[in-house]
Amino acid sequence: DAGVIQSPRHEVTEMGQEVTLRCKPISGHNSLFWYRQTMMRGLELLIYFNNNVPIDDSGMPEDRFSAKMPNASFSTLKIQPSEPRDSAVYFCASSFLASGYDYGYTFGSGTRLTVV
Amino acid sequence: KQEVTQIPAALSVPEGENLVLNCSFTDSAIYNLQWFRQDPGKGLTSLLLIQSSQREQTSGRLNASLDKSSGRSTLYIAASQPGDSATYLCAAEDLNFGNEKLTFGTGTRLTIIP
């Protein structure tokens, strides 16, 4: 398996533009997580999907952020409009979670977003 | 709300030494405790996962322990090597089936001096 695949690896955009980050989880995993990492705040969970359904989006900073998981093999995180304070590394992770067992998380390589 | 703390934030040790990284968490009702490694500019690599019913896990030169009652976990690295230089993060997974999520510490940046 190629692991969790994120695209693009780097994104530089101007303030106000729409940004879409993409994630392909590991085949067979039923849970997908979007995290944001900054020097100031460390790793923060943005949103968590289980079986393609959003379970917890309490970490989404504001309405400018939205995430979708239309099927088990694809998810997007969209920021519209983007702001300089959104600059961070965004990680996607997937896992197989079932009652009584956790197979652990696999993280993608991340998308480094710079908003100028 | 779970809070995870890692002290120290940075650590430098000579090659060959054994070392311990510390992690503490405020809510002992966890499903498991995980340790990750992050190299500069890279993603996270899972090192060890300790289920809440376990007290330790070992993988090669790494040994992680878990004491739920005191809210602590340690990662022991034996015979450190320059290749061990990285940031190590611990994460506690909430005991809440249907809403599992990891809360991460801010990490310990480890430098092994050749």
Side-chain angles (χ1 to χ4, degrees):
Chain A
D1 198 317
V4 176
I5 300 172
Q6 291 187 247
S7 64
R9 288 297 308 275
H10 303 275
E11 178 80 33
V12 180
T13 190
E14 292 185 349
M15 182 173 63
Q17 296 297 307
E18 178 179 296
V19 176
T20 300
L21 311 182
R22 298 172 176 79
C23 176
K24 176 178 168 55
I26 289 177
S27 176
H29 281 188
N30 63 355
S31 297
L32 183 140
F33 306 81
W34 282 99
Y35 284 87
R36 177 172 67 176
Q37 186 177 40
T38 61
M39 289 293 291
M40 291 296 295
R41 302 173 67 91
L43 269 162
E44 302 174 284
L45 177 66
L46 299 177
I47 188 168
Y48 155 44
F49 292 88
N50 184 262
N51 292 320
N52 312 336
V53 176
I55 302 299
D56 186 343
D57 64 355
S58 60
M60 296 287 263
E62 48 199 273
D63 292 345
R64 296 185 298 108
F65 285 69
S66 62
K68 294 182 180 180
M69 192 166 186
N71 56 62
S73 59
F74 184 66
S75 177
T76 59
L77 178 67
K78 184 177 295 185
I79 308 172
Q80 165 65 19
S82 57
E83 297 182 1
R85 60 191 169 119
D86 301 330
S87 298
V89 180
Y90 291 81
F91 288 103
C92 176
S94 71
S95 180
F96 182 80
L97 301 176
S99 178
Y101 203 83
D102 181 343
Y103 288 81
Y105 291 63
T106 301
F107 277 75
S109 299
T111 294
R112 182 174 296 277
L113 174 65
T114 303
V115 183
V116 298
Chain B
K1 179 184 174 185
Q2 180 74 270
E3 293 183 6
V4 180
T5 304
Q6 292 185 250
I7 296 174
L11 180 66
S12 294
V13 299
E15 179 179 1
E17 284 198 3
N18 304 324
L19 60 100
V20 175
L21 305 180
N22 297 296
C23 172
S24 61
F25 46 95
T26 55
D27 187 349
S28 61
I30 62 170
Y31 192 47
N32 61 51
L33 192 290
Q34 302 184 34
W35 283 91
F36 295 84
R37 168 185 172 139
Q38 185 175 29
D39 292 285
K42 305 289 187 181
L44 280 70
T45 300
S46 179
L47 296 175
L48 289 165
L49 183 156
I50 312 174
Q51 300 286 355
S52 62
S53 58
Q54 299 174 321
R55 294 193 64 85
E56 65 178 295
Q57 279 285 346
T58 298
S59 176
R61 294 182 294 108
L62 305 180
N63 176 277
S65 68
L66 174 64
D67 184 344
K68 279 181 54 179
S69 60
S70 66
R72 294 178 187 273
S73 176
T74 62
L75 179 66
Y76 174 83
I77 302 177
S80 58
Q81 303 172 357
D84 296 330
S85 298
T87 296
Y88 291 80
L89 298 113
C90 68
E93 184 167 359
D94 290 345
L95 182 63
N96 187 4
F97 180 68
N99 192 3
E100 296 85 353
K101 55 185 178 183
L102 290 176
T103 302
F104 281 86
T106 50
T108 294
R109 188 173 68 253
L110 176 65
T111 302
I112 305 301
I113 304 166

